[in-house]
């Protein structure tokens, strides 16, 4: 940097410090009014866009294909998958039908509800999906059981069941060639469970068709498309709450039934819950840690208070900046608050530490503030530029979530700089510290500070060895591209989706292609 530019910056910082200190109360009042206006505007205008599909550029081929598929098959877009399990296929089917019927009555929460395996086509053509050997085996069983089925269709009660079983046991010919052992064992199990107050039903489908009609006979999938409100932090909360209420109602009426929820919407909802709780906890923890660090470093309640006021006002102004420039927050850009707390406070710390040192050296309050701005101002200005450049580098990416975070955080760094060079000096004028004593630490950094000079050769050798070793280990690093592994593995939606992915027939992951109609 040339001597002329350095001189200009020095003169500007001195002039700025003098102007700030001329009217500290007016400056503080003006800042409070601007902050209040920013807070009011943010509360009334800042939205939350929780639609993860919009976090990527709509011009990407993937996004365009997704929109085409959703336009053709809207009932499969952003759905809740309700997995119904029971002891028998009949119980599963009845419970799933009851659940689907209940969900269809809640048109305020769901736009469509259907069971993929329950439709007219599969009712008519399901047997044609069996291999020929399996179809012939099933046909033989049905033929053998025809007299049994015919009798029960006319006498559909317990008396009719025992009557036909008695006839079969007393028969001396081959009128009923069907093997009755599985049926008798199933009836015995049912009676035993009922005597022990345990739910159990005889499955005629398993007796006649075993697992031929479905590889997962005791599981049925119900797919419901919720009505989402992406202006709320939990856009599917109402629909998921309704689905859970309906599922609990069905399970209470059928003790042997278990209903779980998963799918894109349920997974994202649990992720949003985690993000919301995590953001709040992270903000509180970071603020506590910052306060602790400030107290340890500054050893002054007034300096701590001035720094916290500057930090909070800068955070509110950054939120207002986000409202004006972006208009909403997404799941990634919401992290700007934690980033600002961690980075924005640095500028105030530099000024306060230098100000404290000047006061220790006996400078008057005004002189100490001006010297701090003049000495530290240009350094923190460079820090703000370099840090914001790192954030603003996110802007060109097609990932809107990261791009918006870059805009908000990049602007927040300059807001933090402006607050530290404007409001903070005014606060230091009002909250001047007196009788400041040097900070004497009981922990000496002398041995650590001189370590590189006494053992320079060893440090260089060890550094090279560790670098080479780390490079070798780095080749074993594996990139996990499965986003499900980023979520809580103990949650219901994650454990259920992993179970479905392991299934041969119920996996929600599939390749989809569109083709013109043949007609």
């Amino acid at each position: 940097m040339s001597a002329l530019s350095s001189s200009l910056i020095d003169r500007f910082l001195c002039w700025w410090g003098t102007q700030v200190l001329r009217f500290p109360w007016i400056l503080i009042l003006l800042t409070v009014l601007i902050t209040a206006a920013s807070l009011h505007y943010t509360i009334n205008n800042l939205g939350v866009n929780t639609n993860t599909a919009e976090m990527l550029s709509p011009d990407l081929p993937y996004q365009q294909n997704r929109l085409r598929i959703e336009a053709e098959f809207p009932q499969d877009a952003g759905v809740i998958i309700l997995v119904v399990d029971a002891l028998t296929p009949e119980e599963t089917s009845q419970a799933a039908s009851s659940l689907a019927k209940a969900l269809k009555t809640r048109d305020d929460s769901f736009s469509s509800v259907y069971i993929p395996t329950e439709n007219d086509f599969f009712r008519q053509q399901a047997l044609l999906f069996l291999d020929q050997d399996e179809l012939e085996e099933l046909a033989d069983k049905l033929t053998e059981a025809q007299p049994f089925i015919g009798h029960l269709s006319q006498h559909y009660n317990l008396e009719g069941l025992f009557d036909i079983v008695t006839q079969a046991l007393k028969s001396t010919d081959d009128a009923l060639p069907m093997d009755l052992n599985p049926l008798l064992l199933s009836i015995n199990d049912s009676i035993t469970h009922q005597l022990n107050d345990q739910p159990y039903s005889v499955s005629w489908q398993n007796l006649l068709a075993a697992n031929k009609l479905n590889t997962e006979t005791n599981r049925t999938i119900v797919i419901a498309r919720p009505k989402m409100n992406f202006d709320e932090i939990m856009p599917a909360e109402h629909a998921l709450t309704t689905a859970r209420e309906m599922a609990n109602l069905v399970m209470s009426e059928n003790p042997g039934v278990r209903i779980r929820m998963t799918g894109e919407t349920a997974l994202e909802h649990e992720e949003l819950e985690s993000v919301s709780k995590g953001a709040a906890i992270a903000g509180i923890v970071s603020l506590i840690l910052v306060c602790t660090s400030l107290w340890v470093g500054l050893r002054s309640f007034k300096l701590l208070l001035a720094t916290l006021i500057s930090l909070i006002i800068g955070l509110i102004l950054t939120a207002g900046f986000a409202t004006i420039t972006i208009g909403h927050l997404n799941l990634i850009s919401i992290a700007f608050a934690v980033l600002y707390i961690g980075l924005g406070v640095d500028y105030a710390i530099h000024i306060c530490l230098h100000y404290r040192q000047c006061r220790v050296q006996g400078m008057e309050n005004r002189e100490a503030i001006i010297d701090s701005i003049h000495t530290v101002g240009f350094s923190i200005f460079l820090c703000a530029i370099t840090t914001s450049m790192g954030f603003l580098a996110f802007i060109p990416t097609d990932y809107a979530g990261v791009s918006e975070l870059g805009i908000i955080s990049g602007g927040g760094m300059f807001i933090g700089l402006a607050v530290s060079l404007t409001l903070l000096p005014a606060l230091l004028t009002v909250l001047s510290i007196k009788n400041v004593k040097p900070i004497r630490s009981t922990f000496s950094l002398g041995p650590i500070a001189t370590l590189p000079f006494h053992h320079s050769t060893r440090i260089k050798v060890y550094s090279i060895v560790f670098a080479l070793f780390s490079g070798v280990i780095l080749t074993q690093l594996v990139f996990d591209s499965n986003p499900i592994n980023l979520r809580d593995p103990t949650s219901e939606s994650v454990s259920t989706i992993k179970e479905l992915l392991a299934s041969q027939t119920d996996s929600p992951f599939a390749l989809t292609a569109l083709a013109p109609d043949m007609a």
Side-chain angles (χ1 to χ4, degrees):
M1 181 181 295
S2 66
L4 177 60
S5 60
S6 176
S7 177
L8 289 174
I9 293 173
D10 289 341
R11 286 202 299 269
F12 172 77
L13 290 174
C14 289
W15 173 84
W16 181 258
T18 303
Q19 299 304 313
V20 166
L21 299 183
R22 288 181 64 186
F23 309 103
W25 282 108
I26 295 177
L27 182 59
I28 292 173
L29 179 60
L30 182 61
T31 304
V32 170
L33 292 176
I34 295 175
T35 304
S38 174
L39 181 61
H40 180 268
Y41 184 76
T42 300
I43 292 174
N44 291 286
N45 295 277
L46 183 62
V48 179
N49 184 5
T50 53
N51 189 351
T52 55
E54 295 182 2
M55 293 175 66
L56 292 173
S57 171
D59 298 327
L60 294 174
Y62 155 77
Q63 288 283 69
Q64 295 177 355
N65 292 334
R66 179 185 63 81
L67 293 175
R68 289 175 55 205
I69 293 173
E70 290 182 359
E72 296 294 334
F73 303 98
Q75 70 274 15
D76 292 328
V79 298
I80 301 173
I81 299 177
L82 296 107
V83 182
V84 183
D85 297 295
L87 299 176
T88 64
E90 291 86 349
E91 285 184 289
T92 306
S93 179
Q94 292 173 5
S97 298
S98 299
L99 178 61
K101 185 178 179 180
L103 294 176
K104 288 179 181 178
T105 62
R106 299 300 302 269
D107 53 3
D108 61 320
S109 301
F110 303 97
S111 57
S112 68
V113 179
Y114 74 99
I115 301 176
T117 56
E118 296 252 343
N119 56 64
D120 294 337
F121 176 81
F122 283 111
R123 287 193 184 97
Q124 293 291 332
Q125 313 295 340
L127 296 180
L128 297 180
F129 286 87
L130 296 175
D131 294 335
Q132 184 173 351
D133 293 340
E134 294 176 335
L135 183 59
E136 290 178 354
E137 180 183 352
L138 177 60
D140 291 340
K141 283 189 174 182
L142 293 176
T143 301
E144 294 175 355
Q146 191 278 330
F148 200 90
I149 297 174
H151 182 85
L152 285 179
S153 64
Q154 297 179 4
H155 306 85
Y156 193 65
N157 50 47
L158 188 61
E159 183 180 355
L161 172 63
F162 286 138
D163 183 51
I164 190 65
V165 169
T166 302
Q167 292 183 30
L169 294 176
K170 292 181 178 180
S171 177
T172 57
D173 53 24
D174 295 331
L176 291 174
M178 174 184 174
D179 183 9
L180 294 180
N181 285 330
L183 173 60
L184 297 176
L185 291 174
S186 183
I187 293 175
N188 180 71
D189 290 339
S190 178
I191 294 174
T192 302
H193 281 79
Q194 293 297 329
L195 292 175
N196 294 326
D197 292 328
Q198 298 175 350
Y200 188 88
S201 299
V202 176
S203 173
W204 297 99
Q205 179 174 318
N206 286 339
L207 289 174
L208 297 175
N211 294 329
K212 303 302 181 183
L213 299 181
N214 191 346
T215 56
E216 300 288 351
T217 56
N218 296 344
R219 176 192 298 156
T220 298
I221 302 296
V222 180
I223 295 180
R225 187 185 187 190
K227 292 183 177 180
M228 313 276 275
N229 183 5
F230 292 110
D231 292 331
E232 297 181 357
I233 189 67
M234 301 290 180
E237 184 171 15
H238 179 65
L240 286 167
T241 301
T242 302
R244 177 59 65 194
E245 291 174 354
M246 298 295 102
N248 290 336
L249 180 61
V250 172
M251 287 190 290
S252 65
E253 297 173 350
N254 302 273
V257 173
R258 180 180 62 160
I259 301 176
R260 295 168 292 166
M261 291 193 299
T262 187
E264 177 184 355
T265 300
L267 288 166
E268 291 179 355
H269 179 78
E270 290 186 352
E271 185 176 26
L272 287 172
E273 286 183 328
S274 177
V275 168
S276 300
K277 296 177 182 177
I281 294 174
I284 295 173
V285 171
S286 61
L287 191 60
I288 294 174
L289 292 176
V290 165
C291 291
T292 304
S293 301
L294 289 175
W295 176 255
V296 172
L298 300 176
R299 304 290 177 88
S300 170
F301 176 77
K302 290 183 178 180
L303 292 181
L304 174 62
L305 180 61
T307 304
L308 284 181
I309 292 175
S310 301
L311 179 63
I312 294 172
I313 287 179
L315 188 59
I316 295 174
L317 293 176
T318 303
F321 172 77
T323 308
I324 295 173
T325 56
I326 307 297
H328 63 263
L329 298 177
N330 57 56
L331 294 178
I332 295 179
S333 63
I334 199 172
F336 87 91
V338 177
L339 293 175
Y340 183 87
I341 291 174
L343 296 174
V345 75
D346 289 350
Y347 312 137
I349 290 176
H350 285 295
I351 292 177
C352 286
L353 283 175
H354 191 85
Y355 165 76
R356 190 185 191 285
Q357 184 64 30
C358 291
R359 293 289 283 162
V360 169
Q361 294 174 358
M363 290 186 182
E364 294 295 330
N365 191 61
R366 180 184 179 86
E367 183 184 1
I369 296 174
I370 295 176
D371 186 80
S372 299
I373 296 176
H374 175 261
T375 305
V376 183
F378 185 66
S379 299
I380 61 176
F381 176 73
L382 288 179
C383 291
I385 291 178
T386 54
T387 305
S388 62
M389 287 175 61
F391 285 120
L392 295 177
F394 292 154
I395 295 178
T397 180
D398 290 326
Y399 200 177
V402 175
S403 177
E404 292 172 4
L405 174 63
I407 294 173
I408 297 171
S409 298
M413 294 301 99
F414 287 107
I415 292 174
L417 174 66
V419 171
S420 297
L421 292 177
T422 305
L423 176 64
L424 182 59
L427 290 173
L428 294 179
T429 303
V430 176
L431 302 173
S432 62
I433 57 175
K434 301 176 182 179
N435 302 322
V436 187
K437 297 180 180 179
I439 299 176
R440 302 186 184 278
S441 175
T442 57
F443 178 73
S444 175
L445 295 177
I448 298 178
T450 59
L451 184 65
F453 302 102
H454 295 159
H455 306 280
S456 58
T457 303
R458 291 184 180 180
I459 291 176
K460 288 185 286 187
V461 172
Y462 290 157
S463 298
I464 294 174
V465 171
F466 287 145
L468 293 175
F469 181 71
S470 299
V472 173
I473 296 178
L474 189 61
T475 60
Q476 307 300 316
L477 184 65
V478 178
F479 178 72
D480 186 358
S481 59
N482 188 353
I484 293 178
N485 293 334
L486 299 176
R487 297 180 167 94
D488 181 8
T490 61
S491 65
E492 178 184 80
S493 62
V494 174
S495 60
T496 304
I497 197 72
K498 287 184 176 181
E499 183 179 323
L500 294 180
L501 291 175
S503 170
Q504 297 180 354
T505 58
D506 295 330
S507 174
F509 284 6
L511 292 175
T512 305
L514 293 177
D517 293 337
M518 298 181 65

